[in-house]
Amino acid sequence: MTVTPDLDSLNARALPRWYDEAKFGIFIHWGLFSIPAFAARLGNITDAFKKDYDRAVAMTPYTEWYANAIKVAGTPSAEFHRANYGDAPYEAFKEPFLAGLKNWDAAAWAETFRDAGAKYVVLVTKHHDGFCLWPSAVENPKQKNWFSSRDIVGELARAVRAAGLKFGLYYSGGIDWSFNREPLRTMGDFIGSVPGGRYSAYADAQIRELIARYEPSVLWNDISWPADERHLFHLFADYYNAAPDGVVNDRWRTVTWKSKLLRFKFMRRRFDTRYKDYIAKNPKALEGIVPPPVPHSDFRTPEYAKLPAISAKKWESTRGMSHSFGFNRNDAEADYAPFETLLGDFLDGVSKNGNLLLNVGPEADGTIPTPQMARLKSFGAWLRANGEAVYGARPWTQAEAVTADGMPVRFTQKNGAIYLIVLGSPSGSEIRLRNGTLEGNGRVLADESPVNVHLEGEDTILNFVSPLKGEFAPVIAIESAKSVS
Ligand code: GLC
């Protein structure tokens, strides 16, 4: 069905099934910033805003914001840059980055992601630094040849598809530091920095070029979109008509007279005063980032955050394995979230209609850092044994429960079976579930051993024929389940 450039038509289009069924994608933040691979260490992204609001954007843990951070004198990044690269501008990282690609093997990445159990890959094609990972034919009027001569996007797209995964792309539509070179310090600066002038035509031409060349199945824009709704809806309709399996995320806030006011410094300061006040009064406001809803999107994108309950609207949480998306040279094993946390958050999301877009931040030469590789392998091992409860599954009527000894439980369902996932490492031959409402025939996914599921007063009891051995996140499928609630 042809989609027309109006909200009714855009919003009437059904979410392509593959995206809901896939559940697990890999995000890749890789670029010139992977060479310095450095950021301040105030904690996570929201800690930077809590602890040092007036220069938080330059004190971010995100290494991909390095080009901005070094513009703000006195920050750890500015000092690191001076000590290691002297007066060299950020642009000087281009040649070494391209030279360092000689051993990069897109096929090896794609196999790694497939073996981790991912079903799609979203590559950053242009981050806030404006540097393009494909040889764009759209001329950047502000910075000559600000792109990779090697077609990184094309090589990865082919390799990912050859491995049987869907390929999507990220594009920083709202921020481009080759167009707007002002140093950014505060939230007001950040969201008010959408470039004007020729940038809107540039971004439109680039995203259309990306769609035509690489036929992405996911269009993952960041921050905002530098045009009005009329242009945006045309873009969406053209994209959907070219890519029947395509999905778009929710970070497409358009330019309005209100957003243009933030181009004035005094308006940004006014915004900051109010925002600081809001943060102070709402401590929960900064537990991760949840972009506000927009008139049209296929899924929402909480960042280092999750939605707390089953959401009818599809969503996808995203995070780096440490506090940064881009590789950080100073991240040691202890700076990475444990596998159990990442997997537990993933399964919590799946039980509530969420996907996970887990980020990989490779080193400049394409090496995937050991702690990240280890986590990908653990995901792969778990999903090989238990993927039945995840791929193609839907939320059940209830997302959460808890065992008698306090272990969180999450549910999914598929083809009449209910999957009970214990977010802990239970051992032994019995699990007692508080507020249990289930009975039926069960089996442990990992070894297909039978489980007897019956009610005892207010509780559901699961009796294992083959005792659980303390592995993390075992899954019990309950077929012909009678939900007695
Ligand atoms: C953000 C950031 C960024 C990262 C991203 C991923 O808004 O600015 O560095 O690419 O979103 O969700």
Side-chain angles (χ1 to χ4, degrees), residues 101-138:
L101 292 178
K102 56 183 180 309
N103 293 323
W104 174 60
D105 178 3
W109 273 17
E111 281 154 28
T112 297
F113 305 146
R114 180 198 60 205
D115 293 348
K119 299 295 182 194
Y120 61 108
V121 171
V122 177
L123 172 69
V124 166
T125 61
K126 183 200 88 165
H127 206 267
H128 306 339
D129 62 7
F131 184 75
C132 301
L133 295 194
W134 78 102
S136 179
V138 182

Side-chain angles (χ1 to χ4, degrees), residues 344-409:
D345 286 352
F346 168 46
L347 298 170
D348 174 60
V350 172
S351 76
K352 295 167 182 169
N353 204 20
N355 284 9
L356 171 66
L357 188 63
L358 181 64
N359 182 73
V360 167
E363 292 177 34
D365 68 356
T367 305
I368 298 178
T370 310
Q372 298 184 29
M373 201 61 167
R375 285 157 178 78
L376 293 177
K377 289 204 166 123
S378 300
F379 263 85
W382 190 91
L383 281 162
R384 269 189 294 282
N386 301 292
E388 180 189 329
V390 169
Y391 303 122
R394 297 284 308 148
W396 188 40
T397 47
Q398 166 187 350
E400 302 189 10
V402 64
T403 67
D405 38 16
M407 289 185 197
V409 167

Side-chain angles (χ1 to χ4, degrees), residues 27-29 45 60 62-65 124 126-128 170 172 175 177 190 220-223 249 251 289 291 301-304 317-320 324-326 357 359:
F27 214 174
I28 304 166
H29 280 63
I45 180 68
T60 172
Y62 291 174
T63 59
E64 66 273 19
W65 292 10
V124 166
K126 183 200 88 165
H127 206 267
H128 306 339
Y170 163 111
S172 173
I175 290 187
W177 296 328
F190 194 67
W220 211 106
N221 185 57
D222 203 6
I223 314 294
N249 73 342
R251 301 187 180 188
I289 300 164
T301 59
E303 177 173 325
Y304 285 89
S317 74
T318 187
R319 58 163 299 164
S324 178
F325 286 91
L357 188 63
N359 182 73

